[in-house]
Amino acid sequence: MKTPHLHRTDAAQFGKYLLVGGGNTALTLIVIIGLKSGLGINPWVANACGYVAGMINSFLWNKLWVFHSHSRRFHGEALRFLIGFGLCYAVQFALTWALTRMMGEAEWQLPGGFVMSPYGLATLIGMGAYTVCNYLYNRLVTFHR
């Protein structure tokens, strides 16, 4: 039985995935702020538009640059990508909710006068879990060759 190893190419691919995620976050925020503040669009509509833009951007960059998928089954990959988003978001949400409940009401003082709440810490942990879960799902399911 082979033991899985992390190869240099795997680390580079995950690094690309993280870069795409950072770009998606920036794009989502730019669209939300541009629509809401620049054009006066309802904030909830702006939010939805921002996330749709980020999702489309994420799919295209992950398909073409991170996972180098040249499959002609575009619709199938897009559907698997959306399913993966839903599954990984559910994992993130459940983990964040459970950790927030387990940690209670404590708050921690951080350098610079910042305060970390249980929800804030749970959100950071949940985001990390989402990132790893979504990367693995896309690598093994969405863009698997």
Side-chain angles (χ1 to χ4, degrees), residues 124-142:
L124 290 174
I125 294 168
M127 290 172 74
Y130 171 87
T131 300
V132 171
C133 178
N134 193 256
Y135 170 76
L136 291 172
Y137 179 91
N138 283 319
R139 180 177 173 165
L140 299 173
V141 178
T142 303

Side-chain angles (χ1 to χ4, degrees), residues 1 9 12 26-27 29 37 39-40 58 62 67 71 78 99 112 116 119 122 125-126 132-133:
M1 182 172 176
T9 55
L27 174 67
L29 188 57
S37 299
L39 299 176
S58 178
N62 278 301
F67 297 104
S71 170
L99 288 173
M116 176 68 74
Y119 172 75
I125 294 168
V132 171
C133 178

Side-chain angles (χ1 to χ4, degrees), residues 58-70 143:
S58 178
F59 173 73
L60 293 174
W61 277 101
N62 278 301
K63 175 179 176 48
L64 300 173
W65 187 55
V66 176
F67 297 104
H68 301 285
S69 174
H70 300 290
F143 302 113

Side-chain angles (χ1 to χ4, degrees), residues 6-71:
L6 181 65
H7 297 286
R8 190 173 314 159
T9 55
D10 297 329
Q13 185 179 57
F14 188 67
K16 287 179 173 183
Y17 176 81
L18 292 176
L19 284 173
V20 168
N24 292 332
T25 301
L27 174 67
T28 300
L29 188 57
I30 289 167
V31 169
I32 292 170
I33 291 170
L35 292 177
K36 180 188 164 297
S37 299
L39 299 176
I41 292 178
N42 176 288
W44 298 110
V45 172
N47 185 280
C49 290
Y51 274 86
V52 167
M55 184 74 65
I56 292 168
N57 185 65
S58 178
F59 173 73
L60 293 174
W61 277 101
N62 278 301
K63 175 179 176 48
L64 300 173
W65 187 55
V66 176
F67 297 104
H68 301 285
S69 174
H70 300 290
S71 170

